[in-house]
Amino acid sequence: MRREDRLAWIFGSSRSGSTWLLRMLADLRGVVPIDDPHLGHHLGVWRPIPLAWAACDDPPELTTLLELKADEPDYFFSNRYRDSWWEPLRALIAARFEAQAGNGHRRFSAPTYVVKEPGSQAAPLLAELFPDSKLIFLLRDGRDVVDSWLAAYQDGTWAIQKGAFPVAPEGRLPLIRWLSEVWAFRCRAVQQAFETRTPDTRVLIRYEELRERPLEGMETICEMLELGRGRLPEIVARHDFEQLPAGARGPKREARVASPGSWRQNLTPAEQEAMHEVLSETLDRFGYGGAIVEPGMATVA
């Protein structure tokens, strides 16, 4: 990768509209999209594991293996031997992205790599590995994220085909607590990475505002990435949720529903209470509080 400043990460939580955003950016000239490399799921393995955490009466604080083992000398990514693995890891990731750029993508003299990373719990590490890269923080109300993921754990959904599993009724509350904790952890991790960037190399985009004013949101991102904006109106219109074929959207599809606040109708009072027990502090921190964010609300700095 010849120019690290042409690398941009989309960090946040899955089920936040990141696929929609990446597809719009991918239609711009010069962009090489990298969709779900899952670096964070290798470098940021959860500890405790999901099943053990969700089954506990009093779950321990969620963390990652990287954080838990960093000071142990035999751990592969031990801080003691950081000088031996840091640059090789950078080179490996860069080489992998370059290989994808040369395989089936149009060749550009100075491509912009836009990487949609679902394992955003590793955002601080990836941002430090590539200090000149840029960062898009895609933020969505955690309650809608939990609702969307919960819907995916049903028979016949798109997620079942990708390794998810149907959840029995008695498993819903533990799963809601787990997904809530994951959303909160990832948001805090992305915010940590976000704060390492200068204002001209980062942008925070709320899903709710992107849905309300997609062209304005895309213009903000393109300005930060130094991408041409001439075709944006056409691209935004083509990728509008309502333009998707009826068979490509719906309750069991990956493009499920684009209406903020659906969790109020989809989750029972007991499920909402369990969710808020975990999420309330982080919702407040990111400006959501007890209600759906309204367009134009203040964002985190």
Side-chain angles (χ1 to χ4, degrees):
M1 190 177 301
R2 286 171 289 180
R3 290 185 56 185
E4 189 177 304
D5 65 331
R6 304 308 300 171
L7 169 64
W9 305 94
I10 299 176
F11 286 138
S13 173
S14 51
R15 310 308 295 160
S16 293
S18 53
T19 298
W20 170 45
L21 176 57
L22 183 67
R23 286 174 179 169
M24 288 193 288
L25 290 169
D27 279 355
L28 292 166
R29 178 171 177 76
V31 170
V32 174
I34 310 289
D35 190 358
D36 289 1
H38 288 281
L39 286 166
H41 289 115
H42 293 278
L43 298 172
V45 179
W46 293 117
R47 281 297 180 270
I49 61 174
L51 180 61
W53 190 96
C56 288
D57 291 331
D58 185 19
E61 184 177 351
L62 188 62
T63 186
T64 64
L65 189 66
L66 190 67
E67 293 180 350
L68 198 63
K69 299 285 188 179
D71 293 328
E72 295 187 13
D74 292 317
Y75 178 55
F76 190 87
F77 294 110
S78 170
N79 283 336
R80 179 180 296 186
Y81 303 110
R82 178 173 162 134
D83 289 346
S84 69
W85 58 262
W86 189 261
E87 286 302 324
L89 180 59
R90 270 176 48 88
L92 173 64
I93 294 171
R96 171 62 181 81
F97 290 166
E98 287 177 350
Q100 188 162 340
N103 183 26
H105 288 280
R106 293 166 293 176
R107 294 190 176 275
F108 306 110
S109 58
T112 297
Y113 297 81
V114 180
V115 182
K116 187 190 87 176
E117 177 50 58
S120 293
Q121 64 269 22
L125 172 65
L126 295 171
E128 188 179 0
L129 272 169
F130 297 92
D132 293 328
S133 63
K134 297 178 179 179
L135 195 155
I136 301 166
F137 185 176
L138 181 59
L139 181 63
R140 186 182 188 183
D141 189 321
R143 295 164 295 191
D144 278 321
V145 171
V146 170
D147 176 37
S148 184
W149 263 121
L150 193 64
Y153 285 89
Q154 301 179 68
D155 280 319
T157 68
W158 62 274
I160 299 300
Q161 301 170 8
K162 295 186 177 184
F165 47 87
V167 175
E170 60 271 20
R172 281 177 64 92
L173 282 179
L175 181 60
I176 285 170
R177 293 189 181 98
W178 166 255
L179 294 172
S180 298
E181 187 65 35
V182 167
W183 177 84
F185 189 104
R186 282 181 174 153
C187 286
R188 294 192 298 267
V190 176
Q191 178 65 12
Q192 181 182 336
F194 187 83
E195 289 171 353
T196 68
R197 295 298 185 260
T198 58
D200 61 324
T201 59
R202 70 186 189 187
V203 62
L204 184 145
I205 297 290
R206 291 185 186 269
Y207 170 81
E208 296 82 9
E209 294 178 345
L210 191 62
R211 272 290 294 157
E212 185 77 16
R213 299 187 297 275
L215 182 57
E216 181 180 318
M218 286 291 290
E219 287 174 341
T220 299
I221 293 171
C222 287
E223 181 178 1
M224 190 264 288
L225 297 182
E226 301 177 25
L227 294 171
R229 288 171 275 178
R231 296 177 55 237
L232 272 184
E234 167 203 339
I235 291 170
V236 166
R238 184 166 64 248
H239 288 278
D240 187 81
F241 181 82
E242 281 71 26
Q243 296 302 315
L244 292 173
R249 51 190 168 98
K252 295 191 175 184
R253 302 294 183 181
E254 191 167 4
R256 174 175 165 260
V257 62
S259 301
S262 297
W263 60 271
R264 297 182 187 277
Q265 291 76 47
N266 297 331
L267 273 61
T268 68
E271 291 171 344
Q272 292 184 31
E273 181 179 357
M275 181 171 61
H276 279 99
E277 285 176 1
V278 178
L279 289 184
S280 58
E281 182 178 340
T282 309
L283 287 169
D284 287 341
R285 175 176 175 176
F286 287 99
Y288 286 94
I292 292 296
V293 68
E294 296 297 334
M297 282 182 64
T299 58
V300 290

